[in-house]
Amino acid sequence: MTTLVFGHKSPDTDSTGSPIIWAWYLNETGTPAKPVLLGEPNTETAFVLRHWGLEKPEIISDVTAEDKVVIVDTNNPAELPPSINEARIQGIIDHHLLVGGLRTKNPIDITIRPLACTATILHDLMGDAVAKAPKHIKGAMLSCILSDTLEFRSPTTTPHDRAVAEKLAADLGVNINELATRMFEAKSDVSAFSDAELLRMDSKEYTVAGKELRVSVLETTAPKVVLDRKDSLMRSMVEVAKEDGADQVLLFVVDILKEEATLLVPNDLVKQLAEASFGVKVTGDTVVLPGIMSRKKQIIPALKL
């Protein structure tokens, strides 16, 4: 039986590339596997797939009790298929905090490490097999690391993430800055997306002080393009929250080059949350948060009411 390898419902570069990488490794070591996605990849990820000649994995909506699966880049049931606890989970490889709630039928392999990128963990787990990985697999690995670390700007970046990326780039003959620039330019092109799609594109669900939040992050080198749409985005937050069963959508627009985030402030709830969480004074419908770039390390741990 073929093992399905997938990440979370809002597939970014790491959550798309890591299933491709790990499925290659499983096949290479005798376990039939294929990567799948739980949603449409974002524009940066689409660029990475084209750039390295990778086929976009099939998109699935659920799993069955007969499916063998490996989960990468998340361990949060809210970000996984509705029937995930019915599936035959074989393993979890992740770099996020342990959420809880997954149920397995047998003991499994779990690897969760405090690194910036799942692909870095995969590199380490693969060991000597990395050397014989084809160019497109190494390229996917490098792209995942550059994406998750924002080319080493993110505070989640560790020296090991950087060392692995630099080793891969040297092996591939790739200029890191040139590749990262092209990736971020692709990520910044959001003109074809509706407000609702932007609010869900890179988002995760969290509960803070009894409030169900959809915490969305848009990383871009052209924040003005997004902020020019702030009025319509804030109006769309109401419907997106209602459809997704959330109390509020938070949107952080991360300026990759300035290394800061702008939080849209549509109402008193978000104003209260911003002031309590980040120690700022909100006087309008946006607030700039200097140095804030990482949802995992800087935004989620700070959120409070």
Side-chain angles (χ1 to χ4, degrees):
M1 177 183 289
T2 300
T3 298
L4 303 179
V5 186
F6 52 77
H8 51 74
K9 287 180 183 177
S10 301
D12 54 12
T13 298
D14 194 26
S15 203
T16 301
S18 286
I20 293 172
I21 295 162
W22 198 244
W24 173 84
Y25 175 70
L26 289 178
N27 282 305
E28 190 71 14
T29 52
T31 299
K34 77 169 186 174
V36 295
L37 301 179
L38 303 184
E40 193 67 35
N42 65 25
T43 51
E44 178 192 85
T45 306
F47 164 79
V48 169
L49 293 174
R50 291 193 305 270
H51 183 77
W52 296 110
L54 294 161
E55 182 178 348
K56 185 178 79 172
E58 174 190 355
I59 297 175
I60 65 170
S61 58
D62 206 355
V63 291
T64 73
E66 300 304 314
D67 287 327
K68 295 171 68 174
V69 307
V70 173
I71 300 165
V72 298
D73 197 31
T74 185
N75 67 85
N76 186 348
E79 299 174 355
L80 292 165
S83 303
I84 188 61
N85 279 332
E86 302 304 316
R88 297 160 63 184
I89 301 173
Q90 305 296 296
I92 299 169
I93 307 170
D94 192 18
H95 66 126
H96 295 94
L97 58 83
L98 183 63
V99 175
L102 289 175
R103 183 175 63 247
T104 65
K105 300 180 186 303
N106 297 289
I108 66 169
D109 289 321
I110 299 177
T111 303
I112 300 178
R113 295 179 181 172
L115 294 169
C117 182
T118 306
T120 307
I121 303 172
L122 302 185
H123 171 276
D124 295 348
L125 294 176
M126 288 163 62
D128 293 341
V130 174
K132 58 181 179 180
K135 179 179 180 180
H136 63 273
I137 293 298
K138 293 179 181 178
M141 201 175 289
L142 171 61
S143 299
C144 289
I145 299 171
L146 295 181
S147 177
D148 265 15
T149 65
L150 297 177
E151 196 190 357
F152 316 130
R153 295 177 176 88
S154 172
T156 62
T157 308
T158 69
H160 186 56
D161 290 293
R162 184 166 192 149
V164 169
E166 290 175 344
K167 177 182 177 182
L168 288 165
D171 187 20
L172 292 164
V174 169
N175 181 291
I176 283 178
N177 180 254
E178 289 178 2
L179 175 59
T181 297
R182 294 181 68 188
M183 288 170 55
F184 299 154
E185 286 174 350
K187 179 184 287 189
S188 301
D189 181 9
V190 296
S191 57
F193 294 95
S194 68
D195 292 340
E197 287 171 329
L198 286 181
L199 293 172
R200 293 187 175 107
M201 183 179 294
D202 185 0
S203 64
K204 295 184 183 292
E205 300 169 22
Y206 290 94
T207 302
V208 176
K211 298 292 185 182
E212 299 295 330
L213 305 177
R214 177 170 289 283
V215 184
S216 302
V217 172
L218 286 177
E219 298 162 342
T220 178
T221 55
K224 185 177 185 299
V225 173
V226 179
L227 295 175
D228 282 348
R229 295 170 59 175
K230 67 180 173 68
D231 291 341
S232 62
L233 283 165
M234 289 192 290
R235 287 193 297 269
S236 296
M237 287 177 179
V238 177
E239 190 62 29
V240 169
K242 181 179 178 181
E243 291 177 359
D244 295 356
D247 293 297
Q248 181 64 52
V249 177
L250 304 180
L251 177 60
F252 295 82
V253 182
V254 173
D255 186 327
I256 296 172
L257 301 181
K258 287 188 176 180
E259 300 187 16
E260 65 184 22
T262 298
L263 171 64
L264 273 59
V265 185
N267 54 41
D268 287 340
L269 173 63
V270 180
K271 177 180 178 181
Q272 178 186 350
L273 188 145
E275 293 183 341
S277 303
F278 302 104
V280 293
K281 181 65 176 175
V282 179
T283 58
D285 58 8
T286 63
V287 62
V288 175
L289 307 172
I292 299 297
M293 300 186 73
S294 169
R295 175 173 46 208
K296 181 175 70 174
K297 191 167 186 177
Q298 296 173 302
I299 295 174
I300 295 302
L303 291 181
K304 60 185 177 181
L305 281 169

